[in-house]
Amino acid sequence: MGLISGLIDPDIGQYLLREEGEVVVDEVRHHWVAYVRASLEYLAGALLLLLVPFAHVDIAWLPMVLWLLLWSHATWLALGVHMDRFVITNMRVFRVKGVLDRQAATMPLSRILDITVSKPILGRLTGYGHFCFESAAQEQGLRDIRFVSRPNERDQAIQRVVQRSGLRGPRPN
């Protein structure tokens, strides 16, 4: 059970600095659009499976092997998207991603100089956008966060946390 849950849940809690009072403000999962490629591969695999009864007996195994390969790849893609999480806390933002190997990238709130939110036309219609973080160190794992659902709300959450921490502007009362 531990191995399976470790493969399907990124366990954000293990990255928190609880002794320092760090709490999660928002855990951002990808918008459903990020799963479209995997879904199309599942559909293509299902169509291949429908060909099995019509295939010649000598090559009937081929659509089944292709189905298995497509569904395995689609599962890997979907799991990769599912395991990619962006987290906003009261102290920092961080990203955890990876299925077998985990990568974690962290940026303290004080290093966030600017956040660019871009919303392509499809994103505006379906409710997603992309974040681009500008910081003092440009090459980090948090520069681009793609397929963020409700991007305006997430941007405002980050701005509120930065404001409440007193890093910019007047301190709240």
Side-chain angles (χ1 to χ4, degrees):
M1 183 67 180
L3 177 63
I4 298 298
S5 66
L7 289 175
I8 60 173
D9 180 31
D11 188 18
I12 297 304
Q14 71 178 332
Y15 298 97
L16 294 177
L17 304 170
R18 295 192 192 277
E19 321 69 61
E20 305 299 323
E22 185 175 34
V23 294
V24 173
V25 173
D26 194 6
E27 180 179 341
V28 181
R29 295 182 166 126
H30 284 288
H31 189 270
W32 62 264
V33 169
Y35 292 94
V36 167
R37 181 175 171 198
S39 299
L40 291 174
E41 287 189 18
Y42 280 125
L43 181 63
L47 292 175
L48 276 172
L49 211 50
L50 291 175
L51 291 177
V52 171
F54 303 106
H56 191 273
V57 175
D58 294 338
I59 61 164
W61 59 270
L62 184 60
M64 293 186 71
V65 168
L66 292 175
W67 162 78
L68 182 62
L69 290 173
L70 265 175
W71 275 29
S72 297
H73 188 257
T75 300
W76 184 258
L77 287 176
L79 199 52
V81 170
H82 173 72
M83 295 296 285
D84 188 0
R85 303 289 172 86
F86 174 66
V87 181
I88 305 164
T89 74
N90 60 329
M91 301 167 69
R92 61 190 171 137
V93 294
F94 66 91
R95 180 182 191 180
V96 177
K97 65 180 184 174
V99 179
L100 298 177
D101 296 334
R102 294 278 160 77
Q103 299 171 359
T106 301
M107 184 186 310
L109 295 175
S110 61
R111 292 213 7 230
I112 299 174
L113 300 177
D114 186 37
I115 303 171
T116 301
V117 179
S118 65
K119 293 184 271 183
I121 186 71
L122 183 60
R124 290 177 53 209
L125 294 172
T126 59
Y128 75 86
H130 310 299
F131 282 1
C132 181
F133 286 88
E134 303 293 333
S135 73
Q138 285 299 314
E139 295 303 320
Q140 76 276 352
L142 280 171
R143 179 161 166 73
D144 293 309
I145 309 292
R146 300 183 50 77
F147 300 107
V148 175
S149 59
R150 301 185 329 268
N152 290 343
E153 292 176 33
R154 271 37 196 275
D155 180 41
Q156 290 172 355
I158 294 170
Q159 299 304 330
R160 270 193 297 279
V161 171
V162 169
Q163 185 66 30
R164 287 181 185 148
S165 68
L167 295 171
R168 290 188 208 124
R171 286 187 175 255
N173 294 331

